[in-house]
Structures are given as C-alpha cells and as structure tokens.
Amino acid sequence: MSGFLKLLFRNRLAAVGAVIIGLICLVALATPLLPRADPDVPATADRFQRPFRPGHLLGTDHLGRDLASRLLWGTRLSLAVGVAAALIAGTIGSTIGIVAGYFGGRIDNVIMRGVDMLMAFPYILLALAIVAALGPGLMNALIAVAAVNIPFFARNIRGVTVGLAGREFIDAARLAGKGHTRIILTELLPNVASMIVIAMSTTAGWMILETAGLSFLGLGSQPPVADLGSMLGEARAALITSPHTSVVPGVMIFLIVMSINLLGDGVRNALDPRLRSGALTRPRAVTLVERRGAIPAADQKGLLNIQDLETQFHVGDRVYRAVNAVSLHVNPGEALGIIAESGSGKSVTALSVMGLVASPPGVITGGAVRYEGEDLLAATYRSLREKRGDKVAYIFQDPLSTLHPLFRVGDQLTEAIQAHHKEPDDAARARAVELLKAVRIPNAESRIRNYPHQMSGGMRQRVGIAMALANDPEVIIADEPTTALDVTVQAQILSLLDDLRRERGLAIIFITHDFDVVAQLCERVAVMYAGKIVEEGPTGAILAQPAHPYTRRLMACLPELGGGKRRLAAIPGLPPVVSDLPPGCAFAPRCDKATAACRAGEIPFDGDAAHRVHCLHPEFAPMEVLA
Ligand code: ADP
Ligand code: MG
C-alpha cells in the first residue's frame, strides 16, 4: 500500500489532483459544522450581491441566498451523487462483466447483447429517457447516470475476465474442487480488482458531470435544494448581468472533474503492473551505452570479442548489476558454451552484444564488444542493424513467442532473408524451403505454408534456427534453445548445430544450464555466477577437473545415469540478488572454502591462459564423481 502511494505521488499531476480533491472533500464533509447562513432561505432584498461583501464572501444569487453557503452544500451533494453513481455502476457493471466473461458461451452472449442494446442509445438521451420515465429528482438522476454507465464497466471487465478465465490457474482451481462462486471471489476478483478501481477512478468525474447536466436541465435536484448543476441552471438567466452566479459553481465543477481525472490517471499508472515496470514505455532501438571507465584496448583474440562488459538495469533508484566485467571470445568454427543457473546474467550478456537489451531500464556501463575488431558498443544504429541477423544471429529460448502467430512460417523466413538481401520473392521462397530442409523439417515445401501454432515445439525451434541461418551469419548466439524440448529433439538440434559449425565454419555461443549439452557441443566453456565469469577453459579440462568451488558444486548436483549410488549435494543458500552484490567473490557466502580475503576485494584470475579461474582457493585435483 505504501509502495502504491509512493508511486502515485511520484506523479506530480496526480499529487496535485489528490490535494485538490482531498481539500474539496474535506470542506464538503465539514460543511454542516461551518457557521454559514442557511443556503435555502431567500432574502430578496439582497439579490445579486457582488462577491466580497460583508457576510457574503461569494455574493448572492437571484433570490438573495448566500452563494458560498449554496456552493458548499451543492458540492457536498454533487460529490455524493457522483461517487454513489460510480460505486453503483462499478459494482453492477463489474459483476455482469465477470459473470459473462467467466461463464462464456450462451450466458455471455445473452448478457453482452443486452449490454450492447443499452450501448446502442446515445448516452445522455438514455439518461434523459430514464429520468423522464421515473420523474425528475436527484435520486432518479443518480439511478439514470449509474444505469447508463453500467455497460462501460461490463464491457471492460468482461474483456479482462475472458483473458483470465482460460488461464491455467483457473483450471487448477477447478481441479482443486473449488466452486464457481469461490473461483470468482478468490481467483478472478483479486486479478480484476485493480481494473475496476481504475475504471471507477477515471469515470467518477464524468459521472459528476453527467449528474450536473441533468440537474442543469432541471431533471436532477429540485429547488430549493441545490447541487452544482442546478446552481448553474438557475444562474443561466443572469449570465450577462451577474456572471459571478455562474462562475462560482462552474469553477467548482471544473476543479472537481479535473482533479478526479488527474488522480484517476495517476491511480491507473500506479496500479497497472505493466506501466509500473516501465514495460510500456517504448524501448530504444539500441541499448543505451554509458561507459564510465576507459574503453579496454583491443586485443586480437577471436571473431567476436567481449571485454569487461558491464550491463546494468536502472529501475527507479535501484541498480541491478546483471553483468559484471565479463570477458569472452569466440573463434570462427568454434563452439563456446556459457553455463550457469538461471538469473546469472547469461541472456543479458548475449543480448548486450548486439545492443538488444531493452533500454530503459538496461544500460551498458562499461567494457567493449568487438566484431572483427569493430567496437559494436560505439557503432551507429545503422551499422548494428546491418549486422544483426546478417553477421551475428540469435536463436531464442521460446520459439512460440519469437515467431509471429499470424504469419506463415514461410513468409517470416522470406522476410528475414529480404531484410538483408534484395532478392525477388520466388528466389527468397526457394531459399526458405532450402533452409527448412537444412534444419531437417520433413515436407518443407508444404510446411512453409504452416502457421506457427500448426507446428510442434521442436519444429518451431528448428524454424527459429532456420531463421538465424537465413543470412549465413558468422556467429550464432543460441540462448537456451533446447531447454523446452525433450531429449531426442534436443539431440537432433545439437547435432544439426554441430554439422553447421563444421560445414559452414559457424562460430556458436551456446547458452545453457546443462553440462551434458556443453559436453556434446562445445570445445570451450565459461561458467557464470551472479553476472561474472568464474571459470573458463577447454570443456574436457573443466568437466574433468573443475577448479572453482561453484563449478564443482554445480557438477556434484548432477545425477548420472548408471553412475551408481551417491548423494546429490545441493548447493546451500541462494544466488545473490544482483541489486545488492557483496564485495569480493559473489559465491563466498555459499562456499565452504571462503576466507576473509574472498569477501574483501577483487578476485584475480588464476591459472594459465587456457584454463582460468576466478578464485583464491581453486582446486586442480580431478573430481572423482565425474571422472
Ligand atoms: P539468465 O542467466 O537466466 O539468462 P538473465 O540474463 O535473464 O538471466 O538475468 C540476469 C539478471 O538480470 C537477473 O538477476 C534478473 O533479475 C536481472 N534482470 C533481467 N532483466 C531485468 C530488468 N528488466 N530489470 C531488472 N532486472 C533485470
Ligand atoms: Mg536466460
């Protein structure tokens, strides 16, 4: 709650709105206690007094009644009616929406067609018709305004509910034996509650305005009782001769509606988790680069060379250090594995290479990424765009979310080809078929006309690989491409990548959390922990003689088929939170070898150029469990 308020008041306009509407509400609540003249007693001798007369701060109206007093009581009434109408419309409309969205089918159809019928009438005409049928009066105006706003809530909330009702957690609740009422109350309602609050806060001002409109026409509050609308209505005749009688209620309506709308917008922004994380702000085309230190001098190692890369996420005043001083390189025709638990910064490292980390909140704060000697972090957007997909291509983990659901896979492949090479359509199509064959999709000629949902997970992943191969890149960065697949498909995809590496001299950076995959595909491997490389070397050496305690622990966690009985040792503790990394070795709190020096400062790289380890107490003894 305090987090919500903090977010809300960070928005200046919302804060201004909250202060104004808060003051108005306070005065409205305190009105009966204030020593003011009776608002409804006429004093014809004092008609149309100007403002700032003794006893009449805001002057008097056409019957000599004190305007300030009428304004206070009128505001009280208008606010009460508007808020009541919003609550009634919100409750009834949301209930209708939830029921329609949750049950779906015929119930949904009947309810929503009824709502559509209500919506088919012009808003204010419908309200007028309702008041005409019920007779004028503030209560009837309230009913009319609430009724015409019900469809708005019903439609909005139904839309959100339909999306939620098909989700797995609702199925799970059903399987757990919960009844419809309980599912609606405990599963659905908490999820749509913020939507309801948002809809109410943004429409309350509008409803106050509508009630005032009805009163202005004489259909709302009846004389002598005044609300803001009827005050305006009564002042109409004297608009030119005594403008203050209209200005006073007019300004009040303006202030109320304005401040409620500002506050409502703020509430929406603060409650919507997507807006809150900044995800709806459009990220830039290239990750923001703000290098603080000196740019490392170029070393000639490798085709793609990452030096001391630092990538951070700046969210509010927190800094998440996702990647810290990572150095890696890959040669043509070589496969480099990056292995780590999830959350260690593998994906962020990979995305930083081509400037694909979303900014905001991502910022590259240090280091260099060189492709054939060119510093990619200093490259122009144009030059990066030419290289993305053409020189350096990505394969992502989840092919269902990276393929466009509404286009045939053939069209998506053709587009990937034509983005970099001006080829005629049929040549590009032929190339697409060829690519699908290269990734061993059977019946490539007919599969090319499939939509992503018509393919299995393994096939979609192959399409993802085909797309990465479309422009014959020099480097492929594969971010856990086989994690979602079963082992047979995984083995096929690994051997496919391996063939491509041999045939085309492709350099592969393969990100995974699986030592088996690394052993099958990669010549070299780098182990990451909390955004740092802790150990790097030839795959054989690292698998046989892991030197860093973390690598050893990680490998001791692996069960081995036919490996006999042994205890699988879990690593105690949890990976550190990257917004709050300890000084020194990030693994020290979980390491049984850690000494005071480990927790003090920077840990240098140890070992020879081939097998390096970031540890003060490395072990170079073979590891029996895996040897
Ligand atoms: P993985 O090794 O599983 O691929 P990632 O590279 O995706 O891990 O994430 C590395 C770290 O960066 C994680 O601790 C994650 O919490 C953090 N992180 C990633 N994206 C964001 C973001 N948009 N805002 C804040 N932190 C993030
Ligand atoms: Mg990842």
Side-chain angles (χ1 to χ4, degrees), residues 193-411:
S194 63
M195 273 303 295
I196 299 178
V197 173
I198 289 167
M200 272 194 206
S201 60
T202 44
T203 45
W206 183 232
M207 292 194 213
I208 291 178
L209 217 50
E210 282 168 7
T211 323
L214 289 177
S215 292
F216 177 81
L217 296 176
L219 299 171
S221 76
Q222 298 300 308
V225 176
D227 76 347
L228 294 174
S230 64
M231 282 176 75
L232 262 185
E234 287 166 0
R236 192 170 26 172
L239 185 63
I240 307 293
T241 50
S242 299
H244 68 279
T245 47
S246 345
V247 168
V248 166
V251 167
M252 184 52 98
I253 292 180
F254 171 79
L255 282 179
I256 291 178
V257 175
M258 184 80 167
S259 55
I260 289 187
N261 283 352
L262 288 178
L263 181 63
D265 276 352
V267 168
R268 185 189 57 210
N269 291 358
L271 276 183
D272 190 327
R274 286 170 309 162
L275 286 171
R276 201 169 7 172
S277 72
L280 287 188
T281 52
R282 243 166 70 106
R284 325 158 157 250
V286 182
T287 311
L288 186 67
V289 179
E290 277 177 1
R291 287 187 278 197
R292 313 251 158 87
I295 299 171
D299 68 5
Q300 297 307 317
K301 272 189 297 186
L303 175 65
L304 182 69
N305 189 336
I306 303 172
Q307 284 174 282
D308 296 326
L309 179 70
E310 265 178 33
T311 307
Q312 308 181 336
F313 293 97
H314 295 179
V315 183
D317 40 11
R318 303 197 70 165
V319 173
Y320 296 83
R321 287 152 52 196
V323 176
N324 299 305
V326 164
S327 297
L328 289 171
H329 68 96
V330 61
N331 296 313
E334 187 187 33
L336 167 72
I338 300 182
I339 195 161
E341 292 171 274
S342 54
S344 308
K346 307 182 296 283
S347 300
V348 176
T349 308
L351 293 173
S352 301
V353 169
M354 280 283 132
L356 290 173
V357 178
S359 295
V363 188
I364 295 179
T365 48
V369 178
R370 290 197 172 81
Y371 175 78
E372 287 184 326
E374 182 193 347
D375 186 359
L376 295 182
L377 299 186
T380 59
Y381 171 56
R382 211 190 134 106
S383 130
L384 260 186
R385 211 175 71 174
E386 276 165 10
K387 289 192 183 64
R388 286 177 180 174
D390 196 31
K391 302 286 182 205
V392 180
Y394 284 86
I395 306 173
F396 293 105
Q397 179 169 0
D398 179 5
L400 193 55
S401 59
T402 41
L403 291 177
H404 196 299
L406 298 182
F407 289 108
R408 298 172 200 274
V409 294
D411 295 337

Side-chain angles (χ1 to χ4, degrees), residues 19-279:
V19 169
I20 297 180
I21 194 69
L23 281 178
I24 294 177
C25 285
L26 219 74
V27 173
L29 283 177
T31 302
L33 307 177
L34 298 178
R36 300 242 40 123
D38 187 316
D40 300 333
V41 177
T44 17
D46 286 343
R47 295 175 70 220
F48 290 128
Q49 295 270 345
R50 300 277 153 187
F52 307 115
R53 290 289 156 81
H56 299 296
L57 184 63
L58 296 177
T60 57
D61 71 355
H62 64 294
L63 295 179
R65 296 171 295 194
D66 181 41
L67 259 184
S69 172
R70 280 179 80 73
L71 180 75
L72 290 176
W73 286 94
T75 304
R76 198 174 142 87
L77 205 55
S78 281
L79 274 178
V81 173
V83 171
L87 284 177
I88 294 172
T91 313
I92 300 181
S94 307
T95 311
I96 293 177
I98 290 182
V99 168
Y102 175 73
F103 289 102
R106 184 172 299 164
I107 297 183
D108 182 28
N109 238 329
V110 171
I111 294 181
M112 291 324 284
R113 293 304 78 77
V115 167
D116 285 347
M117 261 153 57
L118 272 184
M119 281 192 120
F121 292 98
Y123 233 43
I124 201 78
L125 267 191
L126 184 62
L128 284 176
I130 295 175
V131 181
L134 297 179
L138 200 55
M139 206 52 184
N140 294 343
L142 190 161
I143 294 173
V145 169
V148 298
N149 278 291
I150 285 175
F152 167 79
F153 283 93
R155 278 223 151 272
N156 268 339
I157 301 303
R158 174 192 169 268
V160 184
T161 312
V162 165
L164 289 169
R167 296 268 288 276
E168 287 77 2
F169 70 95
I170 301 287
D171 292 343
R174 246 181 236 144
L175 283 178
K178 286 192 183 177
H180 291 313
T181 323
R182 274 193 63 201
I183 293 182
I184 288 180
L185 289 182
T186 61
E187 309 283 332
L188 272 177
L189 196 58
N191 280 298
V192 295
S194 63
M195 273 303 295
I196 299 178
V197 173
I198 289 167
M200 272 194 206
S201 60
T202 44
T203 45
W206 183 232
M207 292 194 213
I208 291 178
L209 217 50
E210 282 168 7
T211 323
L214 289 177
S215 292
F216 177 81
L217 296 176
L219 299 171
S221 76
Q222 298 300 308
V225 176
D227 76 347
L228 294 174
S230 64
M231 282 176 75
L232 262 185
E234 287 166 0
R236 192 170 26 172
L239 185 63
I240 307 293
T241 50
S242 299
H244 68 279
T245 47
S246 345
V247 168
V248 166
V251 167
M252 184 52 98
I253 292 180
F254 171 79
L255 282 179
I256 291 178
V257 175
M258 184 80 167
S259 55
I260 289 187
N261 283 352
L262 288 178
L263 181 63
D265 276 352
V267 168
R268 185 189 57 210
N269 291 358
L271 276 183
D272 190 327
R274 286 170 309 162
L275 286 171
R276 201 169 7 172
S277 72

Side-chain angles (χ1 to χ4, degrees), residues 441-501:
I441 288 190
N443 298 331
E445 287 85 357
S446 61
R447 280 294 183 180
I448 202 161
R449 282 191 296 278
N450 278 173
Y451 288 95
H453 68 267
Q454 293 171 308
M455 303 186 125
S456 69
M459 257 185 227
R460 282 197 295 260
Q461 190 55 281
R462 284 177 220 212
V463 173
I465 298 177
M467 209 174 269
L469 294 173
N471 292 297
D472 232 337
E474 308 294 323
V475 183
I476 279 197
I477 301 178
D479 190 355
E480 310 206 41
T482 56
T483 306
L485 306 179
D486 59 71
V487 276
T488 45
V489 180
Q490 169 173 313
Q492 287 173 7
I493 286 181
L494 290 183
S495 80
L496 175 72
L497 282 175
D498 202 40
D499 290 349
L500 289 169
R501 180 169 72 85

